Amino acid sequence: MPDIAIIGGTGVYDPDLLKDTREYIENTVYGDVKITVGRYEDIEVAFIPRHGKDHSVPPHLVNYRANIMALKQIGVKNIIATAAVGSLNFDLKPGHYLLADQFLDFTKSRKNTFYEGGEEGVVHCDMTVPYCPEIRKAIKKAGNELNLTVYNGGVYVCTEGPRFETAAEIAMFKMLGGSVVGMTSVPEVCLARELGMCYGNISIITNFAAGISPHILTHSEVVEMMKESIHEVRRLIMHSLKY
Ligand code: HPA
């Protein structure tokens, strides 16, 4: 079984570049998860589309615990996760990529830990460095070789969604040091850390955030931008696997 997995976010629904794919249903105490396993060159890779193949699961209802536990159970040690994001800064433009090294958590209603007392006990997981520096280095190297604009480091602000933000919220996130805003990296990264897995995020910048963009933000803007960059995103992920 593979020790590396890709969690595909908005627009990344199929393991297109993997060969000899097969599907498994992995049962976890949090629910069943469909995992596709395949090969990229001679590397075995697992794949889960976070929002389902048909984008039917919104960010606040993703079963993050089942997904991460399923990957842990099959032996995955490293995860590359994609996430569509809005930019808080005119230097970070749609079509650029940012590899978050920190997050600010503004989620509200999510099951955000495997440790709920009882048999599991009370555990306070260190989160000083949430995103894996080795995975970031690998993605950055791949991005350079593919001539893509990839920023290594930045603060991912995670909102609850599914609504987009107000202009005032975005102004606040900017003041707090946020670089990009999305709806999925928390608690995914925290759960991976709790299980001792290395987790890297590729933030795909699809738009300027609310109040920074000169026009009203729509989901179709995000989807259209993802469609435009999907080939590039796939190449970036797969090229990163080599390192
Ligand atoms: N805000 C939140 N999530 C997003 C955005 C945004 O502007 N763009 C893509 N995902």
Side-chain angles (χ1 to χ4, degrees):
M1 278 301 219
D3 77 357
I4 184 144
I6 297 162
I7 299 180
T10 297
V12 187
Y13 305 122
D14 57 70
D16 216 43
L17 296 177
L18 296 182
K19 300 240 158 34
D20 304 330
T21 55
R22 52 217 187 266
E23 287 190 342
Y24 295 91
I25 302 289
E26 185 66 20
N27 310 117
T28 80
V29 295
Y30 305 104
D32 298 344
V33 179
K34 194 192 274 183
I35 304 178
T36 303
V37 174
R39 228 173 7 84
Y40 177 68
E41 300 185 351
D42 55 355
I43 308 163
E44 270 230 302
V45 185
F47 176 82
I48 295 178
R50 184 188 292 120
H51 301 282
K53 272 202 154 101
D54 48 0
H55 201 118
S56 56
V57 187
H60 63 298
L61 296 181
V62 170
N63 193 342
Y64 295 97
R65 293 197 298 185
N67 289 350
I68 297 296
M69 184 56 85
L71 294 177
K72 178 73 180 179
Q73 285 176 193
I74 67 165
V76 165
K77 295 189 172 52
N78 300 291
I79 299 172
I80 296 177
T82 73
V85 297
S87 169
L88 304 185
N89 177 336
F90 282 119
D91 291 339
L92 305 173
K93 297 185 179 18
H96 292 171
Y97 301 88
L98 181 134
L99 314 175
D101 65 348
Q102 290 290 322
F103 66 73
L104 289 170
D105 179 10
F106 284 87
T107 64
K108 293 181 178 136
S109 71
R110 304 175 182 194
K111 294 280 190 188
N112 62 4
T113 181
F114 291 113
Y115 298 105
E116 299 192 299
E119 259 174 48
E120 301 301 329
V122 175
V123 172
H124 302 287
C125 182
D126 174 67
M127 209 56 60
T128 314
V129 182
Y131 298 97
C132 177
E134 279 76 34
I135 294 183
R136 285 199 285 120
K137 210 189 296 171
I139 301 167
K140 175 67 182 152
K141 186 165 176 188
N144 285 353
E145 284 175 14
L146 296 173
N147 270 327
L148 304 179
T149 306
V150 179
Y151 296 95
N152 190 359
V155 178
Y156 181 114
V157 180
C158 195
T159 60
E160 180 66 8
R163 66 168 177 83
F164 287 121
E165 301 71 35
T166 65
E169 285 170 331
I170 292 298
M172 174 183 74
F173 296 152
K174 215 177 147 162
M175 273 192 272
L176 294 178
S179 315
V180 294
V181 60
M183 301 178 191
T184 54
S185 198
V186 182
E188 203 168 77
V189 59
C190 312
L191 295 167
R193 295 297 308 132
E194 282 190 347
L195 298 185
M197 301 154 94
C198 292
Y199 179 104
N201 154 274
I202 304 180
S203 284
I204 303 161
I205 299 169
T206 52
N207 57 280
F208 289 112
I212 292 182
S213 168
H215 54 264
I216 297 293
L217 181 57
T218 62
H219 181 58
S220 52
E221 177 181 349
V222 172
V223 170
E224 282 311 309
M225 186 62 204
M226 274 307 307
K227 271 191 198 148
E228 269 177 42
S229 50
I230 184 64
H231 294 297
E232 200 176 89
V233 171
R234 285 200 182 113
R235 281 169 59 228
L236 177 60
I237 299 171
M238 295 305 167
H239 207 65
S240 306
L241 297 176
K242 295 184 181 172
Y243 302 117

